[in-house]
Amino acid sequence: FPRSVENCHDFLNLIGTPELALHLDCDDTILMERIIKRGRMSEQTENKRSDDNVDTAIQRLRTYHKYHHSTMDWLRVQHVPIVNLDCSGTPENVWNQLLAIGRLMRPATQLKNVTDATTETPLLLEDVQDFDETPNTDGDSQHGT
């Protein structure tokens, strides 16, 4: 999400400009194989997904290809950083890529709300050395060393 420019405008109105976009890239053939496999596996359980079939998968891919380029263009115009992930590998490989992005984003997320207690002004990244959320003995958070 967003899957179309209309979704982009809705997202912008509801939440604001995204800080980051993940572009999960995978060959159509691999996607089809995965959807069909998931459909076969779900047939053997009580959690059968009615949308895991060839016809629905083809329609999903058509919709994706119809809106993909305009959505990516919108993100670029909005100056949203786009991280491209190759999702054609194993699920473990894809998960490890997502974890790496999460680890890279965590410091930026933590620093977003850090302020100087004496002036109530936001601190810049270079102002904070070894940012840490470890509580002090008085219960306040430590910010730096």
Side-chain angles (χ1 to χ4, degrees):
F1 187 84
R3 295 185 188 107
S4 68
V5 174
E6 183 179 346
N7 286 161
C8 293
H9 293 292
D10 292 342
F11 187 93
L12 185 64
N13 290 333
L14 290 170
I15 299 170
T17 303
E19 293 181 26
L20 177 75
L22 299 178
H23 179 240
L24 308 179
D25 190 32
C26 191
D27 182 76
D28 289 355
T29 304
I30 293 171
L31 289 173
M32 289 294 292
E33 289 171 355
R34 290 177 179 172
I35 291 169
I36 292 167
K37 180 181 176 184
R38 186 173 68 181
R40 286 185 185 141
M41 291 174 60
S42 74
E43 286 176 354
Q44 300 168 2
T45 69
E46 294 178 15
N47 299 327
K48 181 165 174 33
R49 291 181 53 135
S50 62
D51 61 343
D52 281 345
N53 59 66
V54 174
D55 293 332
T56 303
I58 290 170
Q59 185 57 44
R60 286 180 187 162
L61 287 173
R62 284 181 181 149
T63 301
Y64 169 79
H65 288 294
K66 179 178 179 178
Y67 295 107
H68 172 255
H69 293 291
S70 59
T71 303
M72 295 298 286
D73 289 343
W74 182 89
L75 290 166
R76 287 184 194 98
V77 167
Q78 296 296 316
H79 304 289
V80 176
I82 300 170
V83 176
N84 293 299
L85 296 178
D86 177 10
C87 295
S88 60
T90 65
E92 180 181 23
N93 177 271
V94 174
W95 180 247
N96 286 335
Q97 289 181 71
L98 290 167
L99 287 176
I101 291 168
R103 284 191 295 273
L104 290 172
M105 292 300 296
R106 189 174 307 127
T109 303
Q110 289 174 338
L111 290 175
K112 185 184 280 186
N113 296 319
V114 177
T115 58
D116 182 330
T118 59
T119 63
E120 293 297 322
T121 57
L123 294 175
L124 301 174
L125 183 58
E126 57 267 17
D127 295 332
V128 181
Q129 299 287 325
D130 300 320
F131 179 74
D132 183 57
E133 281 290 328
T134 308
N136 285 329
T137 54
D138 64 0
D140 292 334
S141 292
Q142 271 180 271
H143 300 293
T145 57

